[in-house]
Amino acid sequence: EIPHAINWSNEDHFLIGSVKNTVSLFSCYRSSPIWTSQSKRGNSTSKSIVSCFSERPYGEFSNAKHTIFGTYKNELHLLDHRTQHPQFLHRSAQGRGYIQLLESFNGHYLYALKRNTNLIDVLDTRESHRPVNQLQLPFTMGNQKHKASITSTNGLTIGTDDGKIVCWSSNAIEFGV
């Protein structure tokens, strides 16, 4: 199993995202997964790669109850760790696959970065991850992975292709503006 995305659940457990929308939970003390889950659309298995997991502010461990993951088919899924069944949340019309999912400090918003677009989706986590806004970038991200950062003092920041930094203030992003 080739890991395309990794996310630590706690000090001893981590999730691996791989091909065919497969997510596996591993322990540092075992060589094989504790469990493996695969998202399906209808009766068929989706043939996409799990490209990223939601990231919490301050590098905190993810919520042990659920995790959001994105795919290169522009799909977001919510994985319940207790039942191990992913639930489809959202499919974006723009871009060519999610590359980063950042949670806001108040937990109300998810900022979703995708390849081949100049937009960052703002999704409301209280409303089944419904899109509520988009942040416009001054450039179009290509296939390369630009990474953004979110802090309580500096807000949401991302570097550009020409060496500049774009920033949305904390007040703006915490209120979904």
Side-chain angles (χ1 to χ4, degrees):
E1 183 169 0
I2 298 172
H4 292 273
I6 187 168
N7 187 34
W8 285 92
S9 297
N10 57 40
E11 291 88 357
D12 300 323
H13 297 90
F14 57 95
L15 294 168
I16 293 287
S18 59
V19 297
K20 295 184 181 174
N21 279 7
T22 302
V23 175
S24 301
L25 178 69
F26 282 85
S27 167
C28 292
Y29 308 106
R30 293 175 51 163
S31 59
S32 59
I34 296 169
W35 54 256
T36 297
S37 180
Q38 192 173 47
S39 68
K40 296 185 178 190
R41 300 276 296 183
N43 292 329
S44 66
T45 301
S46 182
K47 295 181 181 174
S48 186
I49 293 173
V50 174
S51 55
C52 59
F53 292 101
S54 55
E55 300 173 28
R56 297 185 51 91
Y58 299 120
E60 296 174 3
F61 291 120
S62 66
N63 183 335
K65 295 178 185 165
H66 70 275
T67 302
I68 299 167
F69 66 89
T71 72
Y72 283 135
K73 279 197 171 179
N74 282 357
E75 294 179 346
L76 291 179
H77 300 265
L78 176 69
L79 177 63
D80 186 324
H81 292 217
R82 296 163 294 184
T83 64
Q84 301 156 22
H85 294 294
Q87 171 190 352
F88 176 77
L89 292 175
H90 174 70
R91 181 175 172 89
S92 177
Q94 297 92 17
R96 297 235 171 142
Y98 287 102
I99 57 172
Q100 190 177 23
L101 304 171
L102 294 167
E103 293 181 22
S104 67
F105 281 91
N106 62 17
H108 295 170
Y109 301 102
L110 184 72
Y111 301 93
L113 286 79
K114 300 172 302 255
R115 300 183 299 179
N116 302 103
T117 184
N118 66 338
L119 299 171
I120 297 174
D121 291 339
V122 182
L123 308 169
D124 191 332
T125 61
R126 301 162 295 179
E127 305 246 347
S128 300
H129 296 81
R130 180 180 62 85
V132 292
N133 201 356
Q134 292 180 320
L135 303 175
Q136 177 113 23
L137 293 166
F139 67 101
T140 298
M141 287 193 271
N143 282 332
Q144 73 276 13
K145 290 185 177 182
H146 284 77
K147 291 290 186 176
S149 176
I150 189 168
T151 66
S152 60
T153 54
N154 297 319
L156 180 68
T157 56
I158 186 169
T160 67
D161 285 338
D162 60 355
K164 295 186 173 97
I165 294 177
V166 180
C167 182
W168 290 270
S169 73
S170 286
N171 286 339
I173 62 168
E174 285 304 305
F175 296 105
V177 177

